[in-house]
Amino acid sequence: EASLTVNCHPEVAAHHAAYQLIEGRGDGIEREVSVEFRLLSIQEDPVLERFRLHNCHDLLETDVPLKKPHELYERQKKAVTKMLRVEKMEVKFEEIEMSEQTMPGSTGWSLIAKASRKASLRGGVIADAIGAGKTVISIAIILQGIEAARANRSFPRTSSASLVVVPPGLIDQWKSEIKKFTSAMQSVICIYDADALNRYSLKDIIEADVVICPVDMLEAKNYMGRLAKVASGSSKDVEVPKLPSQTGQVEKNGAKGVWIPASSADPYGGANNPRSQQRRNESAYFSYVYHDYIRKIREREFEPDEKGIPLEYFEWERVFVDEIHEILCTSKDELKEAKAKKDKNAGFFQEKNRRAGREFLGITTKDITKRPIVFRSAIFGLTATPLLDSTNRVIELANLIGNAYVIGLSNHWRNLEKESGRDIFLSNFLEPKQSREIRRNIYAKCQDYLDLACCKNKNEEDMEGIELVKHQEKIRMSSEEGELYKKSQSGINPAVQSFAIKPEDFDVTAGHDVSKFLRQNAKLACRMQKLVELCTQILSEEGNKSTKIIVFTDGRIGAGDVARDCLMREERLGCTWLDEDDTVEEKNKKLAWYQYGDVTEEDKKRPRLLVLHFAHAAGLNLQAECNNMILFTPLYVGDGGTSGDPVSDASTELQAIGRVFRPGQPKSKVHVYRIEVEGPDGEECLDTYLIRRNTDEDTIQMAVNADD
């Protein structure tokens, strides 16, 4: 009988897996890693169900007293329990990385090495439903540990404060919520920009209970300049690199074929595209300079009364990142926004958030002690729409929230944002491709992480007695508008231009420009006319004379300007909007006009309408004064073809509706009006297609990641 002897030498594969798990994550971690291997011939297909977040119903309650008459709900007490277990490092997560080496020939055998490490989670995600009280849960977490935090503070840089990182428009709202729920936090500091930072001394920050800052702090006025001056110890202005306007790498959320040229003129298979490489170089250079500044300021000591010390200098008790999903979303819209730069107001929230927020929070820095923002206890993310529709986003979330390592992190696409064309080529084409076994483990570990670190509680009991009334306001375009609509389909063969054209029919590689089509659709005269009619109708209804109306628009395609201009032409209407020249503090003030009741005569004379972009959709509490909302256009973000992301778009629209349809709404009915433009003879057009797409139940479930 013939026999075959196979000798395995697993050291290389084992070391490869272990290196990926420990590289760049701090000294001593290698002593915590164990390695094993096995031979495998039959591999199971990975389970690819949508990711689910579970509730906290089975946990005990942790009661934290609030200012009377407020009290935590039962589900909120249980969410506090789960997050406190994380903060106390009681939740263990097995981090793994795998390396697979296939046997040459057609045997079908593979040697798979696995490196593993048991680690305590350093952060969690509060993903409760919109309006379920994520802010008050966070306040309760701070309150339960406030005395310990105060005991921990010390000079030169250990602050007692919890740092709250928020979209710029939520700074004052967070301060107001803290004041509403507790009197125990006497020192709450709001840092809007460098000018605001210069009002506070080192001692003020060290002894604060809460510091609130915008997530795009690196793009705040004069902040980077202040950081550079403090780092250099110079009294003169120091030239600093600008945060790159766009990245040189984007997340892949669809399959796409790539030609690999067999040419010495392009040895890296197109990966060294000069423009993309320039952007990657700029990103890498900015990160290097930024982290060098941080290293230098942390080597210094400052006098207690010295003012304007950058936030990166301090060690915080804990960190909260509100609307965490915005930082993790795909960056294709950043690229589009940076190229267009036609509507600067659109960048007040999301576009700036994502670039600056990732850098500020140190998303690609594996060693959390070297990240710009350093904490002692834990870091928590808050979001109602996690958008965890891919393993990439779960891996990135885990990394951001305390550097939990989910298999695949070392090869995550985000690492390529600052690499050379050569390294991208090596990563894409020379690294072993993921087998079914590895993909199965990636999915399983992603779900494991979500089970341990995240909670999602619903709030049906809070919404009892509040009805969401949906209105589909259809209007037909004129024949002349119909011709302009079809002619705006740039790149589409005139013979096939029609009312049935969808964004997927545009091919950017063939020179098609979907943005012209989207802009023309937004500025149809019939749409503007319908907006004016709706606003007039709402304000004329009994009891609505002084009501306030929110109009959401897509700022990327100029819809905000269109809505604003048509409303400002109406003498009896008018509107408020967030201007590009307003400071963050001024924008917070404008938003407050629509969050609180009119008190003075000046308040009563202000316009009843607030025009916002979908980029402003996350986090605002507008329910106390507003129960009417108009969606001026349905949302589509993309360049055509397969570039759109219906899950992200549906999530953003849900966030917009959640500004008024949420607990605390005093009215029994919330009215949401969608303007839907049809063709001259009632043909289905872009609006109908996008509304159907963005309200699809399966898509919505993927956006919220609920477990039922």
Side-chain angles (χ1 to χ4, degrees):
E1 292 184 2
S3 64
L4 174 66
T5 301
V6 177
N7 292 321
C8 298
H9 299 281
E11 293 87 350
V12 172
H15 288 167
H16 188 226
Y19 176 76
Q20 291 182 326
L21 183 60
I22 66 176
E23 186 265 330
R25 300 183 68 199
D27 297 334
I29 193 174
E30 67 278 0
R31 294 189 289 272
E32 304 169 4
V33 175
S34 61
V35 181
E36 58 188 89
F37 76 96
R38 62 175 174 152
L39 291 175
L40 197 65
S41 60
I42 299 174
Q43 299 192 14
E44 300 176 11
D45 288 326
V47 178
L48 296 177
E49 296 179 355
R50 65 180 177 86
F51 292 116
R52 298 172 186 270
L53 303 182
H54 305 298
N55 58 48
C56 304
H57 291 177
D58 296 333
L59 297 179
L60 298 174
E61 299 175 19
T62 298
D63 190 19
V64 179
L66 303 176
K67 183 193 292 185
K68 298 296 183 183
H70 303 291
E71 184 179 351
L72 292 174
Y73 291 111
E74 178 183 324
R75 55 177 166 74
Q76 293 170 336
K77 295 175 183 178
K78 293 181 176 182
V80 171
T81 298
K82 180 157 188 170
M83 294 303 118
L84 288 183
R85 287 191 62 221
V86 170
E87 182 167 292
K88 294 173 183 176
M89 301 179 68
E90 296 174 357
V91 181
K92 302 295 183 182
F93 175 66
E94 185 188 34
E95 301 177 341
I96 70 169
E97 187 53 86
M98 302 176 74
S99 175
E100 179 177 11
Q101 305 297 325
T102 56
M103 183 182 294
S106 55
T107 62
W109 285 79
S110 295
L111 186 151
I112 298 183
K114 181 178 81 171
S116 61
R117 167 182 180 255
K118 281 278 189 179
S120 297
L121 289 180
R122 299 299 311 278
V125 179
I126 306 168
D128 287 8
I130 292 173
K134 293 179 288 296
T135 302
V136 73
I137 291 170
S138 305
I139 292 170
I141 292 171
I142 298 171
L143 277 174
Q144 62 77 37
I146 197 165
E147 293 304 326
R150 289 169 178 168
N152 286 336
R153 66 190 178 205
S154 63
F155 292 94
R157 52 186 290 256
T158 304
S159 174
S160 55
S162 291
L163 180 68
V164 181
V165 184
V166 301
L170 304 186
I171 295 175
D172 285 352
Q173 179 176 293
W174 260 85
K175 184 174 183 178
S176 175
E177 291 288 287
I178 292 171
K179 183 178 179 181
K180 171 184 174 182
F181 287 111
T182 181
S183 302
M185 299 183 199
Q186 296 300 314
S187 178
V188 178
I189 294 175
C190 295
I191 306 294
Y192 304 95
D193 50 29
D195 292 341
L197 183 65
N198 287 334
R199 300 172 199 161
Y200 300 99
S201 67
L202 176 77
K203 185 173 184 290
D204 293 333
I205 302 291
I206 292 286
E207 296 180 353
D209 292 318
V210 177
V211 173
I212 310 169
C213 74
V215 69
D216 61 350
M217 195 71 202
L218 299 189
E219 290 192 340
K221 181 182 177 184
N222 300 327
Y223 185 77
M224 277 299 293
R226 175 64 184 168
L227 176 64
K229 287 174 70 173
V230 175
S232 65
S234 171
S235 59
K236 299 180 180 179
D237 290 338
V238 179
E239 186 175 349
V240 296
K242 290 185 177 180
L243 187 67
S245 61
Q246 52 182 302
T247 63
Q249 195 75 12
V250 296
E251 176 183 7
K252 297 293 190 294
N253 58 0
K256 184 177 180 180
V258 180
W259 284 101
I260 307 301
S263 165
S264 60
D266 188 7
Y268 300 140
N272 60 342
N273 176 283
R275 290 184 180 178
S276 293
Q277 187 59 59
Q278 180 181 352
R279 291 192 286 267
R280 291 193 293 269
N281 291 345
E282 290 172 354
S283 294
Y285 179 65
F286 180 90
S287 295
Y288 171 79
V289 172
Y290 178 48
H291 282 265
D292 189 51
Y293 289 159
I294 294 170
R295 178 183 60 80
K296 289 177 179 176
I297 63 170
R298 288 178 182 170
E299 290 173 351
R300 296 189 59 191
E301 289 193 12
F302 302 93
E303 294 299 321
D305 60 350
E306 193 165 345
K307 294 183 177 181
I309 308 302
L311 301 179
E312 293 88 343
Y313 177 73
F314 298 94
E315 179 187 276
W316 308 96
E317 179 65 22
R318 65 182 64 79
V319 176
F320 294 90
V321 185
D322 202 357
E323 306 304 337
I324 189 74
H325 64 277
E326 291 191 357
I327 299 172
L328 303 177
C329 285
T330 175
S331 58
K332 60 180 179 292
D333 53 334
E334 298 167 24
L335 290 165
K336 183 179 178 183
E337 178 69 21
K339 290 174 184 174
K341 292 189 180 293
K342 292 180 180 177
D343 190 354
K344 295 179 182 178
N345 290 338
F348 175 46
F349 281 57
Q350 284 184 340
E351 289 73 31
K352 292 170 70 175
N353 281 2
R354 292 175 180 173
R355 296 188 306 275
R358 287 193 291 267
E359 198 74 51
F360 187 52
L361 295 169
I363 198 166
T364 56
T365 303
K366 292 182 180 179
D367 186 347
I368 58 175
T369 66
K370 295 181 180 178
R371 288 185 175 180
I373 301 301
V374 177
F375 59 87
R376 291 189 299 280
S377 298
I379 178 171
F380 298 103
L382 281 60
T383 176
T385 52
L387 293 175
L388 301 175
D389 59 341
S390 70
T391 56
N392 265 342
R393 288 189 180 162
V394 180
I395 292 169
E396 193 169 18
L397 175 69
N399 175 44
L400 178 59
I401 301 299
N403 188 223
Y405 189 103
V406 176
I407 175 175
L409 174 63
S410 61
N411 291 318
H412 193 273
W413 74 272
R414 186 73 73 189
N415 297 322
L416 304 181
E417 287 185 318
K418 303 169 186 178
E419 296 287 8
S420 67
R422 170 186 175 277
D423 286 346
I424 289 176
F425 173 79
L426 292 174
S427 175
N428 287 342
F429 303 112
L430 298 185
E431 283 293 315
K433 297 300 177 281
Q434 291 176 347
S435 65
R436 285 179 292 174
E437 176 69 9
I438 291 180
R439 291 201 307 274
R440 183 178 68 83
N441 276 274
I442 290 175
Y443 177 87
K445 293 309 294 184
C446 284
Q447 187 61 61
D448 284 350
Y449 172 79
L450 297 177
D451 292 344
L452 292 170
C454 308
C455 66
K456 187 173 190 68
N457 295 307
K458 295 188 176 182
N459 58 338
E460 288 94 340
E461 73 276 14
D462 303 341
M463 300 300 291
E464 289 180 6
I466 307 173
E467 179 186 358
L468 179 62
V469 183
K470 301 177 182 178
H471 305 265
Q472 209 104 328
E473 299 293 330
K474 297 186 178 183
I475 188 169
R476 295 184 179 183
M477 63 182 80
S478 66
S479 299
E480 293 78 9
E481 288 175 310
E483 289 303 311
L484 291 172
Y485 180 85
K486 288 188 281 189
K487 287 180 180 178
S488 70
Q489 295 166 6
S490 177
I492 301 293
N493 188 326
V496 297
Q497 289 177 349
S498 71
F499 295 112
I501 289 291
K502 302 186 291 291
E504 287 80 356
D505 298 321
F506 289 78
D507 182 0
V508 68
T509 63
H512 299 179
D513 185 0
V514 73
S515 68
K516 292 182 180 179
F517 179 46
L518 297 172
R519 288 178 179 275
Q520 179 59 40
N521 183 56
K523 65 181 182 182
L524 291 167
C526 62
R527 188 185 302 280
M528 292 186 273
Q529 176 188 341
K530 191 65 178 179
L531 175 63
V532 172
E533 289 177 2
L534 274 175
C535 294
T536 304
Q537 170 195 319
I538 293 168
L539 291 171
S540 65
E541 292 173 357
E542 185 177 353
N544 275 357
K545 183 179 179 181
S546 61
T547 194
K548 297 171 184 178
I549 305 170
I550 310 300
V551 180
F552 269 104
T553 66
D554 186 356
R556 295 177 180 83
I557 57 175
D561 290 344
V562 172
R564 178 197 66 200
D565 292 346
C566 80
L567 291 171
M568 291 302 292
R569 287 194 293 267
E570 299 295 321
E571 186 176 346
R572 295 182 179 180
L573 292 177
C575 66
T576 300
W577 68 94
L578 306 179
D579 192 84
E580 63 178 284
D581 295 325
D582 292 338
T583 65
V584 172
E585 199 165 357
E586 289 168 339
K587 288 172 180 173
N588 274 264
K589 184 177 179 180
K590 284 185 176 181
L591 291 170
W593 295 342
Y594 295 84
Q595 293 175 313
Y596 307 107
D598 297 333
V599 177
T600 66
E601 288 302 315
E602 183 183 3
D603 291 338
K604 296 173 183 177
K605 291 178 182 178
R606 289 195 185 101
R608 301 292 93 188
L609 291 123
L610 173 63
V611 176
L612 296 173
H613 297 146
F614 280 115
H616 308 158
L620 290 171
N621 294 340
L622 300 170
Q623 75 277 16
E625 290 298 311
C626 311
N627 72 313
N628 291 283
M629 174 179 291
I630 300 171
L631 303 183
F632 186 59
T633 56
L635 183 62
Y636 170 81
V637 178
D639 295 320
T642 61
S643 66
D645 188 344
V647 175
S648 179
D649 294 344
S651 163
T652 302
E653 288 193 354
L654 284 174
Q655 286 279 1
I657 294 169
R659 297 315 95 218
V660 296
F661 184 60
R662 60 191 295 120
Q665 172 58 250
K667 299 293 179 67
S668 60
K669 293 183 179 181
V670 172
H671 298 272
V672 175
Y673 301 83
R674 288 182 180 271
I675 298 178
E676 179 182 351
V677 178
E678 300 177 325
D681 297 317
E683 299 93 338
E684 284 194 0
C685 295
L686 177 64
D687 282 12
T688 305
Y689 166 73
L690 290 180
I691 290 172
R692 187 185 303 125
R693 162 189 181 261
N694 293 352
T695 56
D696 176 74
E697 191 60 36
D698 289 339
T699 302
I700 289 173
Q701 286 300 317
M702 291 179 69
V704 300
N705 294 105
D707 62 356
D708 56 11

